[in-house]
Structures are given as C-alpha cells and as structure tokens.
Amino acid sequence: MPAGEGGSGAKDGSALAALQAALLAEHAAVYGYGVVGGRIAEDRRAQAREAHDAHRARRDALRRAVRRMGGSPEPAAAAYSLPFAVPDGAAAVRLAAELEERVAAVYADLVRAGEGGLRREAAAALREAAVRAARWRGTGVPFPGLAERTASAGRESL
C-alpha cells in the first residue's frame, strides 16, 4: 500500500493514525480467520483460506506503509476477544462476515484520511472487504464501511 502524498501536516498525522487503525483491524482479521478456518464447513474452506491470505497480504502492506510514513507498525495482540461464541460452521460464517464489516469500517476511515495512492488503496481494500462480507452474509449493505449508514453500528470487540 503506497504512502500518502508528501508533507508532514495534520493530514499526514490523521493518515498515519488511520493506517495504524487499519493495521490493527487486519491483525484482528487474521486472528479471526484462524478461528473461522477451524470451524468452517469443508465447502467454504477455500473461501476462508483466500480471505485469510488477503488479510495477511493487506496487513503486510500496511506495515510497510506505516514505516514509509515514519511510524512504527502496531504489533498484533496475542489474542482477540470474539464478538460471540463460534461453536460451528454457521457461527464461523457469521464471524467471517463480521470481520469483513469491521475491516471495511476502518478502511472507510482511511479513505477519508488518506490522499492519492493511499486513498485509492484504502478504497480498494474497502471494496474487497465489502464484497467478501456480502459473499459470507449472502447480502450486502448500501454503504459498506459506514456504520452511521448501516444497522450494524457500535461494535467494540474483535
């Protein structure tokens, strides 16, 4: 993910903060997909693996982008709280959709904070997360990533 446009103003500070938030969300998504992969039915395992790989790639790109902006990438936590119990495949599908919606929300913030190439990459990541969420849920939302526009606002766990 490319760094934002040059300079060191408040816009860069908010872009770096939004990059760090996206990185933390990607750390959580990678962890969450580890849980999904352990519970998902065989027929959706490839879909979970592809999503896990995509989040790992985004996480790694975000680490590089944070460094390019002069920051130190936030480390992953040892574990994350799940928003609900995941005892079976159906719950794993719900968790996957939840992960994607949460990732979309932080990328929406990065779209607002970023400029140029950073904004384009954030918009692409937002679109990818929204598409994956729709595939997991079987339906999409009108404004993916914008909690104030959807019924799924106010989440604080993973």
Side-chain angles (χ1 to χ4, degrees):
M1 182 172 290
E5 305 298 310
S8 59
K11 184 73 171 176
D12 285 346
S14 63
L16 181 56
L19 269 172
Q20 292 281 28
L23 176 57
L24 290 172
E26 290 292 5
H27 284 316
V30 168
Y31 177 89
Y33 269 104
V35 175
V36 169
R39 303 281 193 281
I40 199 78
E42 180 67 35
D43 63 331
R44 300 203 71 183
R45 202 161 285 154
Q47 183 181 356
R49 191 172 332 155
E50 288 170 12
H52 183 255
D53 291 346
H55 286 292
R56 286 180 41 207
R58 286 275 179 202
R59 176 203 61 199
D60 295 346
L62 287 166
R63 284 180 177 154
R64 291 187 298 273
V66 166
R67 284 188 194 102
R68 279 194 301 273
M69 289 192 83
S72 291
E74 292 289 340
Y80 293 85
S81 297
L82 299 176
F84 48 82
V86 186
D88 56 26
V93 168
R94 284 194 343 266
L95 177 59
E98 181 78 15
L99 293 169
E100 297 300 345
E101 288 175 358
R102 290 177 185 208
V103 166
V106 296
Y107 280 115
D109 291 342
L110 187 53
V111 167
R112 285 190 288 268
E115 295 178 343
L118 178 60
R119 178 176 278 173
R120 281 188 298 278
E121 285 295 319
L126 169 59
R127 182 182 61 247
E128 290 167 11
V131 168
R132 281 190 299 265
R135 286 182 181 150
W136 286 117
R137 285 223 194 279
T139 184
V141 296
F143 300 100
L146 300 177
E148 64 271 16
R149 302 275 187 200
T150 66
S152 58
R155 299 189 184 110
E156 297 193 13
S157 302
L158 177 72

